[in-house]
Amino acid sequence: MTTTDPATGPSGPAGAEQPRATSHGGLALALICIAQLMVVLDATITNIALPYIQADLAFSANALPWIITTYALAFGGFLLLGGRCGDLFGRRRAFVFGLVLFAVASLVGGFAENEAMLLGSRAAQGLGAAFASPNALALITTTFEPGPRRSRAFAVYAMMSGLGAAVGLLLGGWLTGMDLSVLGTDVSGWRLTFFINVPIGVAAALLAPAVLTESDRHAGRLDVPGAVTATTGLLSLVYGITRAGDQDHGWGDPWTLAAIGTGVALLVLFALVERGVSQPMLPGRILASRDRLSAYAVMMFVPAAMFAMFFFLTLILQNVMGESPMTTGLMFLPFSVTMIIAATQVSRLVQRVDPGKLAGTGAVIAAVAVFGMSRLPYDDRVTSLGVDIDYWVDVFPFVVLMPIGMALVFIPMTMSVVHGVSPRDSGIASGVLNTMQQVGGALGLAFLSTMAFNATAGKTEEICGALAARGEQCSPGDPALLGVTFTHGAEVGFLVASGMLLLAGVIAFTFNRIRHEDLASGHTAAPAPAAH
């Protein structure tokens, strides 16, 4: 039996555009994936540079986290709009627009002289990324025929998505440590984390018309009410979730609750609006497949755990173990190398093993890796307070194991999302996938940060109580105390993150029933409908 996916109809995507042959297949894939890597790594490339940005631009402590948050807000908030615009007006056109905007915003950010200028550039970067990223994935479906070549293309794309955070930390550490003199003018290393995007974005935008074929422009108009309610709802939800993870506000803060409540209300309104329009921004057929819904769910939980892992581990390496930014970045290099090797093998496995089984196995492997990080050694006895973490024994094995699991999840789940989707909807389907990753990452980091903060506070109270019982004074600034308490809090975060990964594994094993034969051929064999 051929396709019965509601997104395609009973006999496949009738009248749909077919993938167009190109003599630049390898170059097209390289262009798409370099652009994807650029927008994904920008979520973390400035992490290590934050203290240097604060010193140069006199950022307040409260405003500093917004360098990260502003990008995440704009990226997550506009993804559905960016994906749908690609479907309606041409994916290459939307992709190039996103790249140009991203490059210009990066140039402005590199020259920033104050908070407003830098934060404005980060918002524009996020908007550009929201147009470039979903259309990059959609362009793969219109460039490569189903089969081994498309599987390899998806593998490389998914690898870029998984590599982004690690490469961002590695590149950020290297660039931040560089201070250059250009025409007699000193250029701070942190500015290079912005400037590096400019030549890449411009070159990709100029090459795109030559190596990427434009998709068909599908009849229809942009659903403005849907676009407004979806975008503002996502912006409000991501803002509230991010604010909840801030120790100065938390989940009980009135503005946090108001933002989350407003976001949820607007998204409910969006769902109601979509039911009453003839050309909705998010067609219901996209969410009518149980296989696709399960892939979206998995791709929400897994990035949530992965982003939290990078966040906590970066702080442990720098603040607890005392490593430099450059060394910290290098310590993530094994993650990147292993991801490349694993993705190469998984691209072959998807031709022989069902995606649900691969992703379920990968989630379990990743859960084991994150659980291993929850066993970092520390001594909380007041007579011998301290942390004794050996990178090669306590960190390295799990930094290598984690990307194996990530590759097994990202590649088959990315393919599951676009499997059976009509080309007219591939942009919005990709946009939903990226939205799940962004919202999942923000929600996971906020939730796990809150748990880690509470565990850190509890451990501090416990140790200070023990010191008081001995008649000794507790110094909150004691490096040994800070190291022990933060490591304990991070371990709680790691432990919960491993549970989230196990849940993702259960979802993949249970609900994704796509066969590898159908995934390779592009056909859909009677998937079960989503529950109503």
Side-chain angles (χ1 to χ4, degrees):
M1 181 180 291
T2 56
T3 66
T4 58
D5 190 327
T8 62
S11 59
E17 65 195 279
Q18 297 301 312
R20 301 177 182 180
T22 173
S23 60
H24 305 290
L27 188 56
L29 179 60
L31 181 65
I32 290 170
C33 290
I34 288 173
Q36 174 66 6
L37 178 64
M38 181 178 68
V39 301
V40 173
L41 69 81
D42 234 67
T44 59
I45 195 171
T46 56
N47 282 26
I48 294 176
L50 291 178
Y52 301 88
I53 296 174
Q54 184 177 27
D56 273 10
L57 301 186
F59 258 73
S60 65
N62 289 334
L64 195 63
W66 281 97
I67 297 173
I68 308 298
T69 302
T70 301
Y71 182 79
L73 274 173
F75 193 5
F78 288 97
L79 274 166
L80 293 182
L81 178 62
R84 198 56 177 166
C85 283
D87 288 337
L88 294 176
F89 309 123
R91 296 190 189 99
R92 188 183 69 189
R93 185 176 288 106
F95 178 69
V96 170
F97 167 76
L99 289 177
V100 171
L101 179 58
F102 193 91
V104 171
S106 298
L107 184 65
V108 173
F111 283 113
E113 295 295 333
N114 52 55
E115 286 185 10
M117 190 174 178
L118 187 68
L119 294 179
S121 73
R122 288 293 279 169
Q125 279 185 319
L127 178 59
F131 275 78
S133 188
N135 288 293
L137 176 57
L139 280 167
I140 291 178
T141 67
T142 56
T143 302
F144 297 95
E145 294 279 357
R149 289 188 68 207
R150 180 181 283 188
S151 296
R152 286 194 294 270
F154 277 127
V156 177
Y157 176 90
M159 179 178 67
M160 294 300 107
S161 300
L163 275 177
V167 173
L169 293 171
L170 176 62
L171 196 58
W174 176 56
L175 293 174
T176 300
M178 297 174 62
D179 286 321
L180 302 180
S181 179
V182 180
L183 300 177
T185 302
D186 291 333
V187 179
S188 299
W190 70 263
R191 295 183 184 275
L192 298 177
T193 64
F194 288 87
F195 286 142
I196 193 173
N197 296 319
V198 179
I200 298 173
V202 170
L206 291 175
L207 282 172
V211 302
L212 296 175
T213 54
E214 180 60 283
S215 62
D216 291 340
R217 295 177 63 178
H218 299 285
R221 65 180 188 275
L222 185 64
D223 169 23
V224 176
V228 171
T229 51
T231 300
T232 54
L234 286 170
L235 284 170
S236 182
L237 182 63
V238 174
Y239 169 75
I241 291 170
T242 306
R243 185 180 175 90
D246 188 336
Q247 297 177 6
D248 293 333
H249 305 295
W251 291 93
D253 175 72
W255 285 107
T256 297
L257 296 174
I260 293 176
T262 300
V264 171
L266 285 170
L267 291 176
V268 170
L269 179 61
F270 166 67
L272 296 175
V273 167
E274 296 300 271
R275 297 176 64 180
V277 296
S278 59
Q279 297 175 347
M281 181 176 174
L282 178 58
R285 57 185 174 269
I286 295 297
L287 304 178
S289 164
R290 184 183 70 178
D291 299 317
R292 193 171 300 116
L293 278 178
S294 68
Y296 284 142
V298 170
M299 292 301 282
M300 182 177 72
F301 282 112
V302 172
M306 185 180 73
F307 291 164
M309 183 273 289
F310 281 121
F311 175 76
F312 291 127
L313 193 54
T314 299
L315 292 178
I316 287 174
L317 292 174
Q318 285 192 279
N319 297 347
V320 178
M321 297 176 63
E323 303 294 349
S324 68
M326 180 62 180
T327 302
T328 298
L330 287 173
M331 286 178 168
F332 284 105
L333 183 59
F335 182 99
S336 304
V337 173
T338 306
M339 174 66 88
I340 293 171
I341 297 171
T344 303
Q345 300 304 313
V346 175
S347 69
R348 298 187 180 99
L349 282 175
V350 292
Q351 303 290 322
R352 302 192 298 270
V353 184
D354 294 348
K357 295 176 181 177
L358 285 177
T361 302
V364 172
I365 291 173
V368 172
V370 176
F371 178 79
M373 294 178 192
S374 73
R375 314 305 296 171
L376 296 174
Y378 65 84
D379 191 341
D380 58 358
R381 295 173 297 180
V382 295
T383 55
S384 54
L385 204 62
V387 178
D388 185 23
I389 300 174
D390 184 313
Y391 171 79
W392 295 107
V393 174
D394 303 312
V395 178
F396 175 78
F398 308 114
V399 168
V400 171
L401 186 61
M402 182 76 171
I404 297 174
M406 293 292 97
L408 285 165
V409 172
F410 273 60
I411 294 170
M413 289 298 96
T414 299
M415 295 178 70
S416 294
V417 164
V418 296
H419 173 63
V421 174
S422 167
R424 63 178 171 159
D425 292 328
S426 59
I428 189 63
S430 304
V432 175
L433 171 64
N434 283 276
T435 300
M436 290 297 101
Q437 291 175 284
Q438 288 297 310
V439 173
L443 180 59
L445 188 55
F447 176 65
L448 295 174
S449 294
T450 301
M451 295 197 68
F453 172 71
N454 291 336
T456 297
K459 178 60 73 172
T460 301
E461 184 177 347
E462 174 190 327
I463 293 174
C464 287
L467 287 170
R470 292 169 55 90
E472 300 178 26
Q473 186 175 3
C474 179
S475 174
D478 179 17
L481 176 64
L482 291 174
V484 168
T485 55
F486 181 80
T487 301
H488 172 76
E491 288 185 351
V492 172
F494 286 138
L495 187 61
V496 178
S498 69
M500 294 169 64
L501 288 166
L502 288 176
L503 177 59
V506 171
I507 293 172
F509 276 127
T510 306
F511 297 106
N512 190 303
R513 299 299 176 87
I514 299 174
R515 299 185 307 165
H516 65 275
E517 297 92 344
D518 297 320
L519 200 64
S521 67
H523 293 156
T524 308
H532 295 286

